[in-house]
């Protein structure tokens, strides 16, 4: 027997994917698996999404993020027997499936392996996929947990393999539940152990109102690099200040580069810079190539804890910032604002980025944002000059016309 429900995530935050500027509520998947005696044998509650990179029919690459599990089913989940261990099986969307297997030792159990499958025959999600078939990615996790403990990992965990990035957070799971009672003794992942902030919990009463913070000082500038098998493939230097508005309450956060982890990936047409820290699950900057000769910031997504314990998540994959030629870097020393949505903006300071064509781990020649200002001022200056010439011509015409009439009157 399988019992499940969809329940709002802590704080009823906003979810990761917003196709343009919209956002949808974040939901946690929750499974309470019972045996023939209706006693709980496996319990799990977690959040996850998947970013898939695929080749299109015109030989370019696109990415799509799968985050809506509103129609999830759990067919195939079972408690385990003498021959097979417990398993969580989830089906959602058009042809997506996710499975995690558990194994048991004498005094511990393990999250053994994870399978994720997607079907590119789904023309809604993959309208221009070159290859139309079912793809499956497999990862051997082998994470061991003491028997009778519930595993908890509120921090973001990422698995990247075969063009698929799997993200998991707010994970609570216990296999081999004893006597039908889920344990209250938690076994934490390493990231939760090292977190410096208190892990948010669902409040039993309404949280105290949050006051608007005073403006923050200029953030410290950090240097970030993403590497692949060929060396450094992405460089970024910048000070970051996050402006969040939730329930009409504004908050300002400066990112401390000294306590911020950096990961990412580089591909021919896209590049990802991911930052995360104790209160930031992830802050993603996705860069893309356009017209085969320029790059730009195409997408920003964030999920973070606010001071009242709620989770704020939002994304926009239709941006157009930091445009520069391929083979160069983009630089802007003055303060800039990246407007992700009406509720989330990023102020950048002393910015320099190069997401493609990094040579020997160094920045290439920079295109300065002041050039954009110059390009904007040129047509204004030309227009003003033409307007001035037109005014002079009209003045000369009216003066000449007046003198002409005066000559007639004298005659």
């Amino acid at each position: 027997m399988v019992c499940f429900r969809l329940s709002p995530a802590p704080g009823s935050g906003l979810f990761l994917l917003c196709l343009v500027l919209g956002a949808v509520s974040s939901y946690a998947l929750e499974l309470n698996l019972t045996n023939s005696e209706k006693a709980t044998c496996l319990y799990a509650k977690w959040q996850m999404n998947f970013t898939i990179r695929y080749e299109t029919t015109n030989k370019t690459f696109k990415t799509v993020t799968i985050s809506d599990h509103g129609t999830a089913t759990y067919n195939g989940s079972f408690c385990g027997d003498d021959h097979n261990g417990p398993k969580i099986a989830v089906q959602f969307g058009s042809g997506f499936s996710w499975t995690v297997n558990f194994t048991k030792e004498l005094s511990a159990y393990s999250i053994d392996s994870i399978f994720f499958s997607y079907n590119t025959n789904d023309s809604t999600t993959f309208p221009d996929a070159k290859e139309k078939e079912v793809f499956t990615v497999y990862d051997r996790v082998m994470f061991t947990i003491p028997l009778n403990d519930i595993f908890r990992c509120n921090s973001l965990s990422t698995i990247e393999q075969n063009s698929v990035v799997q993200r998991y957070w707010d994970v609570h799971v216990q296999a081999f539940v004893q006597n039908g009672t889920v344990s209250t003794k938690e076994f934490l992942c390493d990231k939760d152990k090292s977190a410096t902030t208190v892990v948010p919990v669902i409040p039993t009463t309404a949280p105290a109102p949050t006051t608007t913070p005073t403006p923050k000082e200029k953030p410290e500038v950090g240097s970030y690099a993403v590497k692949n098998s060929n060396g450094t493939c992405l460089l970024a230097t910048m000070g970051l200040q996050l402006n969040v508005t939730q329930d009409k309450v504004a908050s300002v956060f400066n990112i401390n580069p000294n306590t911020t982890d950096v990961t990412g990936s580089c591909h021919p047409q896209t590049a990802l810079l991911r930052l995360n820290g104790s209160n930031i699950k992830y802050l993603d900057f996705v860069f893309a190539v356009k017209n085969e000769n320029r790059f730009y910031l195409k997408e920003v997504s964030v999920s973070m804890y606010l001071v009242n314990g709620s989770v704020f998540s939002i994304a926009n994959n239709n941006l157009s910032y930091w445009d520069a030629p391929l083979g160069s870097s983009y630089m802007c020393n003055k303060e800039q604002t990246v407007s992700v949505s009406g509720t989330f903006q990023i102020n950048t300071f002393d910015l320099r980025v190069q997401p493609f064509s990094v040579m020997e781990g160094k920045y290439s020649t920079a295109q300065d944002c002041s050039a954009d200002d110059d390009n904007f001022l040129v047509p204004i200056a030309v227009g003003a000059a033409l307007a001035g010439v037109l005014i002079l011509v009209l003045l000369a015409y009216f003066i000449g016309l007046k003198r002409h009439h005066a000559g007639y009157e004298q005659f």
Side-chain angles (χ1 to χ4, degrees), residues 1-2 31 33 73-80 86-91:
M1 176 179 177
V2 175
L31 170 67
L33 193 62
T73 58
Y74 297 80
N75 300 324
S77 300
F78 77 113
C79 296
K87 177 172 69 174
I88 299 174
V90 185
Q91 305 82 37

Side-chain angles (χ1 to χ4, degrees), residues 7-248:
S7 58
S12 297
L14 302 176
F15 200 67
L16 171 70
L17 179 65
C18 318
L19 290 179
V20 182
L21 288 176
V24 296
S25 297
S26 172
Y27 286 87
L29 295 162
E30 186 171 9
L31 170 67
N32 186 40
L33 193 62
T34 59
N35 57 23
S36 58
E37 299 175 354
K38 296 185 179 181
T40 298
C41 61
L42 187 153
Y43 174 79
K45 182 178 180 180
W46 73 105
Q47 295 196 69
M48 64 181 180
N49 68 48
F50 308 89
T51 298
I52 303 168
R53 181 175 180 267
Y54 66 96
E55 187 176 4
T56 66
T57 51
N58 60 1
K59 298 183 179 180
T60 61
F61 288 87
K62 288 186 177 181
T63 57
V64 59
T65 299
I66 311 301
S67 56
D68 185 4
H69 316 118
T71 58
T73 58
Y74 297 80
N75 300 324
S77 300
F78 77 113
C79 296
D81 53 29
D82 294 336
H83 305 287
N84 299 287
K87 177 172 69 174
I88 299 174
V90 185
Q91 305 82 37
F92 55 95
S94 300
F96 297 101
S97 64
W98 180 82
T99 303
V100 57
N101 297 298
F102 299 88
T103 57
K104 182 182 178 182
E105 300 172 0
L106 291 177
S107 59
Y109 66 97
S110 297
I111 303 173
D112 182 83
S113 55
I114 296 175
F115 293 84
F116 172 64
S117 298
Y118 59 98
N119 190 349
T120 54
N121 285 297
D122 175 13
S123 58
T124 301
T125 308
F126 309 97
D128 49 358
K130 178 182 178 181
E131 299 180 6
K132 297 289 188 179
E133 58 181 292
V134 176
F135 293 87
T136 300
V137 293
Y138 161 80
D139 188 79
R140 190 73 182 271
V141 180
M142 292 302 295
F143 188 87
T144 302
I145 304 157
L147 201 63
N148 301 329
D149 283 10
I150 184 169
F151 173 67
R152 189 200 78 190
C153 193
N154 286 337
S155 302
L156 177 72
S157 299
T158 302
I159 300 173
E160 183 171 357
Q161 193 173 36
N162 297 338
S163 300
V164 176
V165 179
Q166 306 177 51
R167 303 179 183 92
Y168 304 97
W169 67 98
D170 292 340
V171 176
H172 298 74
V173 62
Q174 183 181 0
F176 303 98
V177 174
Q178 303 297 300
N179 302 319
T181 303
V182 177
S183 176
T184 57
K185 184 180 179 182
E186 295 181 332
F187 183 81
L188 306 184
C189 64
D190 290 339
K191 286 186 177 181
D192 278 16
K193 291 177 183 177
S194 61
T196 57
T197 56
V198 178
V199 176
V201 295
I202 302 175
T204 55
T205 59
T210 305
T211 58
T212 302
T214 56
K216 291 275 186 176
E217 67 278 5
K218 181 178 177 180
E220 183 177 348
V221 176
S223 295
Y224 311 100
V226 176
K227 297 183 179 181
N228 59 15
S229 58
N230 297 321
T232 301
C233 59
L234 184 153
L235 291 170
T237 303
M238 52 191 169
L240 294 171
Q241 187 176 81
L242 311 184
N243 297 271
V244 177
T245 303
Q246 189 175 57
D247 298 329
K248 298 182 180 180

